[in-house]
Amino acid sequence: MKYIEKLRNSGLRPTKQRLQICEVLFNSEKTFHFTINELDQKIKKQINDKISLATIYNTVHAFEKKGYLKQIPINSNQTYFDTNISDHHHFYDLKEEKLIDLENADVGPINILKKINGKRIKSVEVLVKLED
Amino acid sequence: MKYIEKLRNSGLRPTKQRLQICEVLFNSEKTFHFTINELDQKIKKQINDKISLATIYNTVHAFEKKGYLKQIPINSNQTYFDTNISDHHHFYDLKEEKLIDLENADVGPINILKKINGKRIKSVEVLVKLED
DNA sequence: ACACCTTTTTAGAATCATTATAAACTACTA
DNA sequence: TAGTAGTTTATAATGATTCTAAAAAGGTGT
Ligand SMILES: [Mn+2]
Ligand SMILES: [Mn+2]
Ligand SMILES: [Zn+2]
Ligand SMILES: [Zn+2]
């Protein structure tokens, strides 16, 4: 029910698979970071249906394009996504290989002084790597 | 000649391949960003020897570990490296898929207010995505 | 409900960057 | 010069992601 309109408004048909993925992604108390494979595992645990991996890829990319997910720039062999789409930054714990949110207030205001002719700033993302 | 000592001091044997890669990477006026495949092309053009792709991977990773190269966190199917190892940040031109250096002075000082128990900040990297 | 068309799902294949393997080769040291 | 550890190399393996094309499902109008 909850997500049908959201999908329709985005021009995405509210299929069973997409609604189930919405539940897993957006129906939790806290936002979280994930790779496609982690999401696949989470879906397996939370629902009794099987959703093909291709559909998970398709859906995550569709949601990202609509702005319901963010991709996090990080050096990893897997792509990391974030259900927290607010303007925020990240710690990356190198040992644990885990991302931790840094709210915008946790980082002083960032002022980009350099300008590039004919280009606009789309986003400013800070990655703070942590070691022991 | 120039790089033999540098390699020896790092505990890396100054092999012909490593010295040739040093020439391509560090003997240019300006620093630059590259993927492994771009470096492979550059090597092919600048030297008359063939260096196997595996050696290029090995060498780039060895140099990165020694701090002679930096890896740039970015969402791409290929890993980006930087011969500019100074503390600096990047524009990423989404259309051109090109990185542009942002010197530290081009970005206001960044103050991370949040602390994580038992962890130290290793690096702070800013990625500014550009669109038209 | 039915027909029709479009979008979506799916299993499986393909792609491609990266890493592993293991044999040949090379740099250093005694 | 022999011995040893480090390095290079061709090639295979891995694994995340994308592609394909056929089947299934959604949406719309009747
Ligand atoms: Mn995407
Ligand atoms: Mn590396
Ligand atoms: Zn986040
Ligand atoms: Zn740079």
Side-chain angles (χ1 to χ4, degrees), chain B residues 61 64 71 81:
Chain B
H61 285 135
E64 184 209 5
Q71 215 175 324
F81 295 91

Side-chain angles (χ1 to χ4, degrees), chain A residues 61 64 71 81:
Chain A
H61 284 135
E64 184 208 4
Q71 214 175 327
F81 294 91

Side-chain angles (χ1 to χ4, degrees), chain A:
Chain A
M1 309 288 116
K2 203 170 175 181
Y3 299 108
I4 290 179
E5 198 164 3
K6 175 178 181 166
L7 290 172
R8 280 232 182 76
N9 291 342
S10 313
L12 298 172
R13 289 185 179 172
T15 64
K16 186 178 60 161
Q17 291 85 346
R18 282 175 179 160
L19 290 168
Q20 289 175 325
I21 294 174
C22 277
E23 291 290 335
V24 174
L25 288 177
F26 307 123
N27 213 32
S28 61
E29 189 63 34
K30 299 180 179 178
T31 61
F32 59 95
H33 308 110
F34 65 92
T35 63
I36 295 286
N37 277 299
E38 288 167 353
L39 179 58
D40 191 28
Q41 297 307 310
K42 213 169 193 301
I43 288 169
K44 279 193 178 70
K45 278 180 200 131
Q46 291 190 24
I47 69 176
N48 286 332
D49 256 316
K50 182 196 161 44
I51 300 181
S52 86
L53 190 56
T55 296
I56 298 177
Y57 272 98
N58 290 341
T59 303
V60 165
H61 284 135
F63 287 1
E64 184 208 4
K65 190 168 289 178
K66 296 299 179 183
Y68 302 140
L69 290 173
K70 284 203 329 186
Q71 214 175 327
I72 301 174
I74 196 176
N75 285 127
S76 167
N77 55 328
Q78 280 158 274
T79 304
Y80 276 81
F81 294 91
D82 199 340
T83 66
N84 179 354
I85 56 172
S86 79
D87 196 359
H88 72 288
H89 307 290
H90 295 94
F91 280 130
Y92 183 59
D93 185 326
L94 291 164
K95 181 188 274 182
E96 307 289 336
E97 293 186 311
K98 281 282 167 230
L99 284 160
I100 302 163
D101 274 352
L102 260 173
E103 293 312 319
N104 227 329
D106 298 329
V107 180
I110 295 168
N111 195 14
I112 307 299
L113 306 172
K114 191 175 183 177
K115 303 290 173 211
I116 300 288
N117 210 308
K119 299 285 178 179
R120 270 199 313 276
I121 290 175
K122 188 188 182 193
S123 66
V124 177
E125 295 167 85
V126 180
L127 182 67
V128 182
K129 291 185 184 162
L130 295 177
E131 60 188 351
D132 290 305

Side-chain angles (χ1 to χ4, degrees), chain B residues 52-130:
Chain B
S52 86
L53 189 57
T55 297
I56 298 176
Y57 272 98
N58 290 341
T59 302
V60 165
H61 285 135
F63 287 1
E64 184 209 5
K65 190 168 289 178
K66 295 300 178 182
Y68 302 140
L69 291 172
K70 284 203 329 187
Q71 215 175 324
I72 301 173
I74 195 176
N75 284 129
S76 168
N77 55 328
Q78 280 159 274
T79 305
Y80 275 81
F81 295 91
D82 199 339
T83 66
N84 179 354
I85 56 172
S86 79
D87 197 359
H88 72 287
H89 307 290
H90 294 95
F91 280 131
Y92 184 59
D93 185 327
L94 292 164
K95 180 188 274 182
E96 306 289 336
E97 293 187 311
K98 281 284 166 226
L99 285 161
I100 302 164
D101 273 353
L102 260 172
E103 293 311 320
N104 226 329
D106 297 329
V107 180
I110 296 167
N111 195 14
I112 307 298
L113 305 173
K114 192 175 183 178
K115 304 289 174 213
I116 301 288
N117 209 307
K119 299 285 178 180
R120 270 200 313 277
I121 291 176
K122 189 188 183 192
S123 66
V124 176
E125 294 167 86
V126 180
L127 183 68
V128 181
K129 290 185 185 161
L130 296 178

Side-chain angles (χ1 to χ4, degrees), chain B residues 17-28 31-47 49-64 68-70 78-83 98:
Chain B
Q17 291 86 346
R18 282 176 179 160
L19 291 168
Q20 289 175 325
I21 294 173
C22 277
E23 291 290 334
V24 173
L25 288 177
F26 307 123
N27 214 33
S28 61
T31 62
F32 59 95
H33 308 110
F34 64 93
T35 63
I36 295 287
N37 277 299
E38 288 167 354
L39 179 58
D40 191 27
Q41 299 306 310
K42 212 169 194 299
I43 288 169
K44 279 194 179 69
K45 277 180 200 131
Q46 291 189 24
I47 69 175
D49 256 315
K50 182 197 158 55
I51 300 180
S52 86
L53 189 57
T55 297
I56 298 176
Y57 272 98
N58 290 341
T59 302
V60 165
H61 285 135
F63 287 1
E64 184 209 5
Y68 302 140
L69 291 172
K70 284 203 329 187
Q78 280 159 274
T79 305
Y80 275 81
F81 295 91
D82 199 339
T83 66
K98 281 284 166 226

